[in-house]
Amino acid sequence: MTNFNKIKNPLLYAGLSMALFSQGAYAQKSSSIVDQLQFTWQVKEGQNIRKNPVSTIILKNKGKTAVQLNDWSLWFNFIRSIDPNKVDGRFAIDHRNGDLFQVSFKKNNFLLKAQDTIHIDFTTTGLVNYTDGPIGLYIKNNKTGISTDVKHYSAVKTAPQSDTEKADYWSYKYDQNKLTEGVESQSIIPLPSNISISHNKKFNITADTKFFIDAELSSEGGFLTDFLNSYTGIKPSTSAAQQAGIVIVKTNGLKAESYHLNIDEKGIRIEASDKAGAFYAIQSLKSLINHQQWNKTTKSIALPYVSIDDSPRYGYRGFMLDAARNFHSKSEVLRILDLMAAYKLNKFHFHFIDDEGWRLEIPSLPELTAVGANRTANFEDGKGIQPAYGSGATAKAHQFYTVADYIEILKYAQARHIDVIPEVETPGHARAAIKAMRARFAHYTKAGDKQKAEEFLLDDADDKSVYNSAQNWNDNVMNPALPSTYHFLSKVVDEIKAIHEKAGVPLKIIDLGGDETPSGVWEKSPKILAFMKENNISNVLDVWPLYITKINKLVQDKGLIMSGWEEMGMRNKGKGMEVNAELGKSDIHLNVWNNLPGQGQEDLAYRLANAGYKVVYTSAANNYLDMSWDRDFADPGHSWVGTVNLNKTYSFSPENFFINLRKDDTGKDLVKEAYTNKEQLTAEGKKNLLGIKGALWAEKVSTDQRLEEMIFPRLIAIADRAWAQEQAWEKGDSYEDATYRKSYTAFIKKLGEDELKKLDIIDGGYTYRIPKLGIKQEGNQLHINTDYPGFKVYYTDNGNNPTTQSKQVNGAIPFQKGKKYLFKVFDAKGRSGDVIAY
C-alpha cells in the first residue's frame, strides 16, 4: 500500500486503509471457498490457436461441500478480446475496461457440488502462447462486494498441435541453429572498433601485479579493483606508474567514451580522455577475462597480448524498462543497470507511468501514488485503480519508487555512466494520473475548496467522446483544453527536475510519451470545442500538433529537451498519421518503434530523421524484448510484432534496415512492398540518428525472474549492435548471408560459451533465458542443437523427466519410432528450461 508518512493529507486516505483491513479480514472467513475452488485454463482440443480458438476455464470444486456459484463472480485480466455472444448461456463474460473481465453465473440455483467440474468456454481472438491466457483471477461476493484472490490456478502450456506440426517446428529450429557453427568466437562483447590479438602470448595478473590509476580516473579504476576483489582471489595494490603492471591514465585527443587498451610484456595500459572511456576499457578487459578465471580461487589471470582502439558507433545506446504495467523493485532496477554498464549501454529510459500505474512519488501530489499505485478490486470507490495484468484483488504494498529510491537509482546509474530519462505519459496512457487527480477533485470538492479541486484536473466530466485505446481503455486520455492539464505537467516536471538536482544528477531530457492516442478522442468534449474556437481550429485532428507544440515549449522553457514516441513528430490530416515536417526543427527527440515488415511504415524512422527530428531507433521488429522468441506455445511474451529471437535482434541494421528484410519470422517471403521503393537515410538524416534502444513492456512480466528471462541475452545483442561499428554485411545494396552468419556466429559463440557463464556469477546470478532446442530426425537418428552454444542437453526415452543424471546428448542419438523422447537443456548451475517432448 502507499506510504502514509509521505501523504500531506492522511485523513483523506484513511478509508483506504480500513477497506483493505476489511478485505483482509474477509479473506480469512472466505478462505474455505478459495481453498475449495481450483481453476485451470487451456485451449480446447481441435482448435487452430491462430484463428479465433475456443479456450476454457475449468472450475473444479475439490472440497467436501457444494458452492453456490450465484453468490459469486469471477474476475480476471485477459489481454485478448472475448466474443460475448459465443459464451455458454449459463454464464456471461463482460469486458469492464482495459484488460479486466467479469464472469457471472447466470443459471438459477447454480450449485457446484463437491468434486464436480464445470467448463467456461469462450471464443477469443487468436492466441500465440500460454501467457495470452487469463491471469490475476479473483472471486467477488455479489452480496458483500468483497473480493478474494484465487489460490489455485494454472495455465496449460501446451496447445493442440499434430505430431507433424511439432516435428516441422523443431526441424526448422535445428536448421536455423545449424547455420551458426564453425566460426571462431569474437574476443570481446561489444565488438571493439579495432582489435589486434595474439593468443600465443600472455600477460599474467597476479597478487604481485601493481596498479597505477590517474587521480582523475580513480573512481573508474575502483571498478576494476572491486571486480578483482569480488570475483577473483587477487587483491590488488597500488604503486608508481613506472612500476605498475596495470596503468590507467588520462590522455588528450580521444573522442568521448573512447579508449586505448594495450596488453603486452610490460602489462596492461588503458588510456582515455574522459571517465566514460576509462570505464568502458575496464568492461572490455573484464570481457576478455574468461569466465573460468572469475573464481575466488584464481591467483593468476592469463590475458592475451592485445591492442585495441575503440569508440562507440552511437552516442545513444539504450534500454527502456516499463515498471508501470507491472512494478519492479529498486533492487532489480540496480541489477539491470549493472549489466547495462557491463555491456556499455548508457541510456536508461525509465517508463514508470502509464494507464495501469503511477510509480514515482511526487511529494506535492500524494494522490498519484496513493491512488495510482494502488491496484485493487475495490477500485469503484475511487481510492484505487482497477486490477491489471495479473495484479489480483488485493493491493500490494509499496508499489512505487520513493524520492529516496529514485535518488539512489540516479546516483547508481551516474556512477556507471548511464543517463536516466524519466517518462511521464501524456496525453494518452494517462489513466492512473487521471483517476488520481479525479480522487483529489472529489476530496477537495467535498471540503468546499473549488480552486484546489480543479487545480490539477486532467479530464472533462462533460466529455462524451467514445474511444477505445490500444489496451482497451475508454477513459485514459488527458484533455488538452484544460489549463490544469499543463499546470499538472509543469508541476510534475518541476518536481522530477528537483529530485535530479537533489541527487546531483541534473535532468537534461524528459520523455512525455505521446503515443497511441486513440481515434475518437476529444470529439465530443465541450471544452475541446471551445479550445478549438479559441485557437482557430476547425478539425479536432489539429488539436494534436498544437498540443505537442505547447508541451514542447513548456519543457524547453524549463531548460530541458522533450523526447517522446514517434507520434509526436506526426499528424493526421484525415488520411492517417504522416510526418509533421513543421516540427522537424523543434529539437524534439523521437523514439521510433514502428517498422513492422509488410505494414507500410518500414521507413518511418528514416522519414522522421530526414525531416529533422532527432531519432532513437527503437525497432519493434528487432528490439522489443517483451516479444516471444519462438512459435512454441510454451514460450512467453507478446506476438503482435511476430517472434523476436536473438538472431532477429542481432540482424538489425539501423542505417540500412531493408538490406536483409526478405522473410517473416516463419521463414516465408515478405511482399516486395515491404522493402522496395522506401525512403533511405539522407546524409542529414544520418546525423539525426542518435542511436538505438531496446524496450521491455511489462504487461506479461510480473516477476523479476521473467523480466531477466525476457531481457537477457537479447539486450546483450542490442548492446553489441549499438557499440560496434557498421559491419560488412550491413553495407551496400546487396546482402551476403554468409558474411552475416560469420559475424553472428562469432557473437553467439562468445555469448554462450563465456559471457552467459559470467551472468551465472555476477550479482549472485541472473535468470537469463535458457536456449531452446532444435531437433531433426534423419533416418533412425535424432540430431540435436541449441539456439546458442555452451549448454548441456539431457534426455530420457522412458517417460521420466530428464535430470543431470539422465543420458547426455553428445552427437546424434538413436531414434525408435513409437518411443517418447524427453529433452531438457541445463546451464552450468543446474538451472533448466522446459521439458521438450518429441
Side-chain angles (χ1 to χ4, degrees):
M1 186 45 57
T2 191
N3 186 340
F4 288 95
N5 292 326
K6 299 289 184 180
I7 295 176
K8 294 182 179 179
N9 300 293
L11 291 178
L12 171 58
Y13 298 104
L16 177 61
S17 177
M18 289 302 297
L20 291 175
F21 174 80
S22 299
Q23 182 171 319
Y26 181 78
Q28 290 182 324
K29 291 192 296 183
S30 64
S31 61
S32 60
I33 300 297
V34 293
D35 282 337
Q36 281 181 250
L37 298 179
Q38 178 177 290
F39 297 83
T40 306
W41 174 80
Q42 66 183 43
V43 180
K44 298 200 75 171
E45 287 297 325
Q47 300 294 307
N48 181 337
I49 60 172
R50 301 287 193 267
K51 296 182 179 178
N52 301 326
V54 177
S55 61
T56 185
I57 296 174
I58 304 169
L59 172 54
K60 180 176 182 178
N61 180 0
K62 61 176 190 171
K64 296 181 180 180
T65 59
V67 175
Q68 179 58 259
L69 294 176
N70 302 105
D71 293 342
W72 303 89
S73 56
L74 171 66
W75 299 67
F76 58 83
N77 301 120
F78 188 66
I79 208 161
R80 302 286 181 169
S81 61
I82 294 174
D83 188 341
N85 299 316
K86 293 185 179 180
V87 177
D88 186 323
R90 297 175 298 166
F91 318 100
I93 302 182
D94 297 302
H95 174 236
R96 291 308 181 194
N97 206 353
D99 70 334
L100 187 62
F101 288 82
Q102 176 186 358
V103 179
S104 303
F105 299 95
K106 309 297 288 185
K107 177 184 172 183
N108 291 332
N109 195 29
F110 202 157
L111 202 66
L112 182 62
K113 296 179 180 178
Q115 302 304 313
D116 271 4
T117 298
I118 59 169
H119 289 239
I120 307 171
D121 295 350
F122 55 94
T123 301
T124 183
T125 49
L127 303 168
V128 171
N129 58 58
Y130 79 99
T131 61
D132 282 342
I135 51 177
L137 284 70
Y138 64 91
I139 58 172
K140 184 174 183 177
N141 187 287
N142 297 332
K143 296 177 180 177
T144 66
I146 296 177
S147 304
T148 309
D149 289 307
V150 164
K151 286 185 178 180
H152 308 291
Y153 171 68
S154 62
V156 176
K157 295 173 72 171
T158 57
Q161 196 176 28
S162 69
D163 289 341
T164 300
E165 289 174 319
K166 292 177 184 177
D168 288 346
Y169 168 72
W170 298 121
S171 179
Y172 171 75
K173 280 189 61 64
Y174 178 85
D175 290 341
Q176 293 300 302
N177 294 341
K178 189 71 176 173
L179 294 171
T180 58
E181 295 179 357
V183 175
E184 184 178 347
S185 166
Q186 70 185 57
S187 299
I188 293 170
I189 294 178
L191 184 68
S193 304
N194 295 288
I195 178 170
S196 174
I197 191 165
S198 173
H199 292 286
N200 296 324
K201 297 180 180 180
K202 306 284 186 180
F203 172 78
N204 292 295
I205 303 175
T206 68
D208 296 327
T209 304
K210 306 297 184 183
F211 282 68
F212 174 81
I213 303 170
D214 258 357
E216 290 182 68
L217 301 176
S218 60
S219 57
E220 322 314 311
F223 282 98
L224 179 56
T225 55
D226 287 347
F227 162 74
L228 293 172
N229 281 321
S230 299
Y231 296 108
T232 75
I234 298 171
K235 305 299 180 184
S237 58
T238 59
S239 72
Q242 60 268 27
Q243 298 171 325
I246 299 176
V247 176
I248 302 175
V249 294
K250 186 173 182 180
T251 189
N252 296 321
L254 295 184
K255 295 178 182 178
E257 303 185 300
S258 304
Y259 65 90
H260 295 321
L261 170 60
N262 195 77
I263 304 176
D264 57 19
E265 71 280 359
K266 297 177 183 177
I268 299 169
R269 183 176 180 86
I270 289 171
E271 297 178 351
S273 296
D274 61 10
K275 290 184 176 183
F279 181 81
Y280 293 138
I282 290 166
Q283 306 317 308
S284 291
L285 185 63
K286 287 163 56 181
S287 185
L288 199 59
I289 299 172
N290 187 275
H291 72 276
Q292 293 177 334
Q293 298 181 92
W294 288 45
N295 192 303
K296 293 294 285 185
T297 63
T298 296
K299 302 300 181 183
S300 178
I301 297 174
L303 289 169
Y305 284 13
V306 68
S307 177
I308 298 172
D309 293 316
D310 200 10
S311 295
R313 180 179 184 181
Y314 295 116
Y316 192 119
R317 307 177 302 278
F319 171 62
M320 187 218 77
L321 174 64
D322 170 13
R325 268 61 176 273
N326 274 302
F327 182 71
H328 293 281
S329 67
K330 177 191 69 178
S331 60
E332 182 61 20
V333 170
L334 300 183
R335 282 170 58 83
I336 299 302
L337 291 172
D338 276 339
L339 285 196
M340 285 181 63
Y343 295 103
K344 306 186 178 80
L345 293 167
N346 67 346
K347 308 292 182 185
F348 179 54
H349 178 168
F350 208 174
H351 183 95
F352 44 42
I353 293 162
D354 213 300
D355 294 319
E356 299 82 9
W358 184 288
R359 308 296 188 179
L360 178 66
E361 178 189 10
I362 302 296
S364 67
L365 295 173
E367 302 90 350
L368 287 171
T369 47
V371 176
N374 172 37
R375 297 202 299 219
T376 169
N378 297 330
F379 61 92
E380 291 172 343
D381 64 9
K383 295 173 183 175
I385 56 176
Q386 71 180 56
Y389 302 125
S391 59
T394 306
K396 297 179 178 65
H398 197 74
Q399 295 291 287
F400 63 92
Y401 306 102
T402 65
V403 168
D405 290 336
Y406 189 51
I407 287 174
E408 184 176 346
I409 289 168
L410 291 175
K411 290 182 175 181
Y412 198 86
Q414 182 188 51
R416 289 154 182 78
H417 301 281
I418 297 171
D419 296 327
V420 177
I421 302 171
E423 181 178 358
V424 179
E425 280 277 18
T426 181
H429 288 283
R431 190 175 188 271
I434 290 168
K435 294 301 180 184
M437 293 302 95
R438 181 56 64 176
R440 187 180 195 277
F441 173 83
H443 169 70
Y444 285 110
T445 297
K446 187 175 181 180
D449 192 334
K450 186 174 186 293
Q451 187 276 328
K452 278 194 172 183
E454 297 179 350
E455 185 178 6
F456 297 107
L457 202 58
L458 300 174
D459 63 330
D460 174 9
D462 296 323
D463 187 355
K464 305 302 180 186
S465 303
V466 176
Y467 60 87
N468 188 58
S469 78
Q471 285 76 30
N472 294 312
W473 296 107
N474 59 23
D475 55 355
N476 75 331
V477 183
M478 294 179 183
N479 193 308
L482 301 177
S484 51
T485 293
Y486 304 95
H487 184 41
F488 171 83
L489 290 173
S490 182
K491 170 64 72 174
V492 170
V493 173
D494 283 345
E495 294 228 8
I496 293 175
K497 186 179 179 183
I499 297 171
H500 276 251
E501 290 172 355
K502 186 176 181 180
V505 185
L507 182 65
K508 299 174 184 177
I509 182 169
I510 189 164
D511 195 291
L512 293 190
D515 58 318
E516 297 184 327
T517 300
S519 60
V521 72
W522 306 325
E523 291 178 354
K524 297 180 181 179
S525 165
K527 287 185 169 57
I528 284 288
L529 293 175
F531 178 78
M532 290 170 60
K533 185 176 180 180
E534 179 184 335
N535 289 277
N536 297 315
I537 294 173
S538 59
N539 191 326
V540 71
L541 296 175
D542 293 328
V543 171
W544 174 256
L546 178 58
Y547 182 66
I548 299 304
T549 301
K550 287 171 74 69
I551 62 173
N552 187 39
K553 184 178 186 304
L554 182 152
V555 169
Q556 290 183 347
D557 285 349
K558 299 179 186 296
L560 304 174
I561 294 171
M562 182 178 79
S563 70
W565 296 97
E566 63 205 36
E567 291 95 327
M568 280 192 174
M570 304 177 77
R571 66 181 302 172
N572 187 346
K573 295 182 178 180
K575 295 183 179 180
M577 295 291 277
E578 60 185 63
V579 172
N580 182 5
E582 293 178 15
L583 292 180
K585 302 299 183 182
S586 59
D587 202 28
I588 298 174
H589 292 196
L590 299 179
N591 305 302
V592 184
W593 63 266
N594 191 356
N595 61 352
L596 307 186
Q599 295 192 19
Q601 299 284 9
E602 297 88 349
D603 59 355
L604 179 59
Y606 299 164
R607 286 187 279 127
L608 286 163
N610 292 344
Y613 292 98
K614 302 297 184 184
V615 167
V616 178
Y617 205 161
T618 315
S619 170
N622 305 87
N623 294 345
Y624 265 26
L625 305 183
D626 46 297
M627 295 297 139
S628 60
W629 280 62
D630 281 320
R631 289 176 286 119
D632 179 6
F633 197 76
D635 208 72
H638 285 308
S639 60
W640 55 271
V641 166
T643 58
V644 176
N645 58 25
L646 189 65
N647 178 49
K648 191 75 171 288
T649 298
Y650 186 87
S651 69
F652 177 44
S653 177
E655 296 174 28
N656 199 3
F657 179 63
F658 312 108
I659 192 168
N660 56 4
L661 193 65
R662 297 296 181 272
K663 296 183 181 295
D664 67 13
D665 63 304
T666 67
K668 295 179 181 178
D669 290 336
L670 287 166
V671 295
K672 288 187 177 180
E673 289 77 11
Y675 52 86
T676 56
N677 299 319
K678 296 294 182 180
E679 188 168 329
Q680 300 285 350
L681 271 177
T682 63
E684 192 64 26
K686 284 187 179 182
K687 294 178 184 177
N688 290 327
L689 185 61
L690 300 178
I692 67 175
K693 176 162 55 186
L696 186 288
W697 300 102
E699 293 97 333
K700 294 185 175 186
V701 184
S702 59
T703 66
D704 292 343
Q705 177 179 332
R706 172 69 58 80
L707 176 66
E708 292 179 6
E709 287 174 350
M710 300 302 286
I711 294 175
F712 302 113
R714 290 182 291 189
L715 186 60
I716 300 174
I718 293 170
D720 195 89
R721 304 298 300 119
W723 181 278
Q725 299 302 310
E726 187 177 28
Q727 300 298 293
W729 58 268
E730 296 182 74
K731 299 177 181 179
D733 298 323
S734 60
Y735 173 67
E736 292 185 4
D737 189 64
T739 304
Y740 167 75
R741 289 290 170 185
K742 184 177 180 180
S743 178
Y744 176 57
T745 302
F747 168 77
I748 65 166
K749 191 172 179 65
K750 170 68 170 175
L751 176 78
E753 294 181 353
D754 191 29
E755 293 300 314
L756 292 183
K757 304 293 192 293
K758 296 171 185 175
L759 265 62
D760 289 332
I761 301 167
I762 300 171
D763 292 342
Y766 288 76
T767 56
Y768 57 83
R769 179 183 184 270
I770 300 291
K772 290 285 184 75
L773 292 176
I775 307 172
K776 189 163 190 173
Q777 181 189 344
E778 292 182 346
N780 61 355
Q781 289 186 321
L782 290 179
H783 297 269
I784 313 297
N785 59 19
T786 55
D787 294 335
Y788 30 94
F791 294 79
K792 293 180 179 180
V793 182
Y794 294 88
Y795 76 99
T796 64
D797 55 11
N798 59 5
N800 294 328
N801 283 344
T803 69
T804 53
Q805 303 305 309
S806 303
K807 289 179 278 189
Q808 185 178 345
V809 173
N810 288 304
I813 65 173
F815 173 74
Q816 184 176 334
K817 192 173 182 179
K819 271 192 174 183
K820 185 177 183 180
Y821 295 81
L822 300 178
F823 298 90
K824 218 173 190 185
V825 184
F826 289 83
D827 71 4
K829 296 175 69 174
R831 192 167 59 93
S832 63
D834 292 328
V835 174
I836 304 300
Y838 189 90

